[in-house]
Short mmCIF file of all heavy atoms in Angstrom, two decimals:
data_model
loop_
_atom_site.label_atom_id
_atom_site.label_comp_id
_atom_site.label_asym_id
_atom_site.label_seq_id
_atom_site.Cartn_x
_atom_site.Cartn_y
_atom_site.Cartn_z
N ALA A 87 -34.50 -0.14 -20.91
CA ALA A 87 -33.42 -0.16 -19.92
C ALA A 87 -33.88 -0.75 -18.60
O ALA A 87 -33.07 -1.31 -17.85
CB ALA A 87 -32.91 1.27 -19.70
N THR A 88 -35.17 -0.68 -18.31
CA THR A 88 -35.69 -1.22 -17.06
C THR A 88 -35.56 -2.74 -16.99
O THR A 88 -35.62 -3.31 -15.90
CB THR A 88 -37.17 -0.84 -16.90
OG1 THR A 88 -37.88 -1.19 -18.10
CG2 THR A 88 -37.32 0.65 -16.64
N LEU A 89 -35.38 -3.39 -18.14
CA LEU A 89 -35.19 -4.85 -18.13
C LEU A 89 -33.95 -5.23 -17.34
O LEU A 89 -33.92 -6.25 -16.65
CB LEU A 89 -35.08 -5.37 -19.57
CG LEU A 89 -34.79 -6.87 -19.72
CD1 LEU A 89 -35.88 -7.71 -19.06
CD2 LEU A 89 -34.65 -7.24 -21.20
N GLY A 90 -32.91 -4.41 -17.43
CA GLY A 90 -31.69 -4.70 -16.70
C GLY A 90 -31.94 -4.76 -15.20
O GLY A 90 -31.43 -5.64 -14.51
N SER A 91 -32.73 -3.83 -14.70
CA SER A 91 -33.06 -3.83 -13.27
C SER A 91 -33.82 -5.09 -12.88
O SER A 91 -33.61 -5.66 -11.81
CB SER A 91 -33.89 -2.59 -12.92
OG SER A 91 -33.16 -1.41 -13.18
N ALA A 92 -34.72 -5.53 -13.77
CA ALA A 92 -35.49 -6.74 -13.48
C ALA A 92 -34.59 -7.97 -13.47
O ALA A 92 -34.75 -8.87 -12.62
CB ALA A 92 -36.60 -6.90 -14.52
N LEU A 93 -33.62 -8.03 -14.39
CA LEU A 93 -32.74 -9.20 -14.46
C LEU A 93 -31.87 -9.33 -13.21
O LEU A 93 -31.49 -10.44 -12.84
CB LEU A 93 -31.86 -9.12 -15.70
CG LEU A 93 -32.58 -9.32 -17.04
CD1 LEU A 93 -31.63 -9.05 -18.20
CD2 LEU A 93 -33.13 -10.73 -17.14
N GLU A 94 -31.55 -8.21 -12.57
CA GLU A 94 -30.74 -8.27 -11.35
C GLU A 94 -31.44 -9.04 -10.23
O GLU A 94 -30.79 -9.49 -9.29
CB GLU A 94 -30.44 -6.86 -10.85
CG GLU A 94 -29.45 -6.08 -11.68
CD GLU A 94 -29.12 -4.75 -11.04
OE1 GLU A 94 -28.59 -4.77 -9.92
OE2 GLU A 94 -29.42 -3.70 -11.65
N ARG A 95 -32.75 -9.20 -10.35
CA ARG A 95 -33.52 -9.85 -9.29
C ARG A 95 -33.87 -11.30 -9.63
O ARG A 95 -34.60 -11.95 -8.88
CB ARG A 95 -34.80 -9.06 -9.02
CG ARG A 95 -34.53 -7.60 -8.70
CD ARG A 95 -35.80 -6.82 -8.43
NE ARG A 95 -35.54 -5.38 -8.36
CZ ARG A 95 -36.44 -4.46 -8.07
NH1 ARG A 95 -37.69 -4.82 -7.82
NH2 ARG A 95 -36.11 -3.19 -8.03
N VAL A 96 -33.35 -11.80 -10.74
CA VAL A 96 -33.68 -13.15 -11.19
C VAL A 96 -32.80 -14.18 -10.48
O VAL A 96 -31.58 -14.15 -10.60
CB VAL A 96 -33.53 -13.28 -12.72
CG1 VAL A 96 -33.72 -14.72 -13.16
CG2 VAL A 96 -34.51 -12.35 -13.43
N ASP A 97 -33.41 -15.08 -9.76
CA ASP A 97 -32.67 -16.16 -9.11
C ASP A 97 -32.09 -17.12 -10.16
O ASP A 97 -32.76 -17.44 -11.15
CB ASP A 97 -33.58 -16.95 -8.16
CG ASP A 97 -34.04 -16.13 -6.97
OD1 ASP A 97 -33.29 -15.21 -6.58
OD2 ASP A 97 -35.13 -16.40 -6.44
N GLY A 98 -30.88 -17.56 -9.95
CA GLY A 98 -30.27 -18.55 -10.83
C GLY A 98 -29.47 -17.99 -11.98
O GLY A 98 -28.70 -18.72 -12.61
N LEU A 99 -29.61 -16.70 -12.27
CA LEU A 99 -28.90 -16.12 -13.40
C LEU A 99 -27.39 -16.13 -13.16
O LEU A 99 -26.61 -16.43 -14.06
CB LEU A 99 -29.39 -14.69 -13.65
CG LEU A 99 -28.75 -13.93 -14.82
CD1 LEU A 99 -28.90 -14.71 -16.13
CD2 LEU A 99 -29.36 -12.53 -14.95
#
Side-chain angles (χ1 to χ4, degrees):
T88 51
L89 176 60
S91 298
L93 290 173
E94 288 185 61
R95 305 180 190 184
V96 174
D97 293 332
L99 181 56

